[in-house]
Amino acid sequence: MLAAVCNVWLVTPMKFLITAGPTREPIDPVRYLSNRSSGKMGYALARAALDAGHEVVLVSGPVCLAAPEGAAIVRVTTSDEMFDAVHARVGEAEVCVLCAAVADFRPAVVEPRKIKKGDAESRRIELVPTRDILLSLRDLPPPKNGRKPVVVGFAAETDDVMENAHRKLRAKGCALLVVNDVSRADIGFETDENELTLLFASGEIRPLAFSKKDTLAAELIKIICTIS
Ligand code: PMT
């Protein structure tokens, strides 16, 4: 929450729960399904929230980044682990920012032994949907002594970006959806820069121009605090 006193902005510290990085869905003991998320965007958000004086719990998939100093970090691997880690902590959170690239599907069966090259029958992998963490927060009952957290989702789109993002915002019921075009090589996955479009539940649309992820994260944390 932000308040202006004598032209000085005062920040009320808030409790952020942020997810970052990819998930890995095992196929067998040596292989998994995953994606290109480096964790840079989510970790930048965690650092920006800490720099602004907020408390941060960071639920992170496997990434090669140093934990932001001051964050309580919870390391997970699979989408199921991330779902459980978020639900174990959401009761304490005032703001949830789900930036992780969670796998939408996982193998129906995890083979206990490494699948062999010649094992023809095992070359088809049946996939089943993972649990949707963002969607699950929409229907959370309000906590006994407080308000439901403000929920911010991300949308990683490659085509019909705004059309798909609007559909996602309606389906997932979050206060704000942060959209990035991951078909571009210069933004989105793995890069140090990004370019974002903010879709608010109120109908407002606000672009955030191409910039360093750190700069965008600081701006985003300020904006999120105005809707909290
Ligand atoms: O990590 P970087 O390399 O810096 O890249 C940043 C990023 C591209 C990963 C990031 O900016 C981003 O877009 N994150 C969201 C990626 C994603 O999974 O988007 P989606 O459109 O598939 O999912 C929509 C939302 O639902 C996301 O908030 C996602 O966290 C959430 N979700 C998805 C599936 C699932 N099972 N549970 C979820 O909560």
Side-chain angles (χ1 to χ4, degrees), residues 74-93:
V74 183
R75 295 185 194 280
V76 299
T77 303
T78 65
S79 59
D80 266 345
E81 289 170 4
M82 188 170 277
F83 185 104
D84 291 340
V86 166
H87 277 268
R89 289 157 185 89
V90 68
E92 301 294 312

Side-chain angles (χ1 to χ4, degrees), residues 1-2 10-16 49 52-55 94-95 225:
M1 206 165 291
L2 290 172
L10 298 179
V11 176
T12 308
M14 302 185 72
K15 294 180 177 170
F16 276 74
H54 303 294
E55 278 179 42
E94 294 169 288
V95 183
C225 289

Side-chain angles (χ1 to χ4, degrees), residues 194-217:
N194 212 349
E195 188 177 299
L196 304 172
T197 305
L198 312 188
L199 299 189
F200 295 84
S202 63
E204 184 191 345
I205 301 175
R206 200 184 306 178
L208 292 185
F210 181 90
S211 194
K212 292 275 178 211
K213 284 180 176 171
D214 283 337
T215 309
L216 290 167

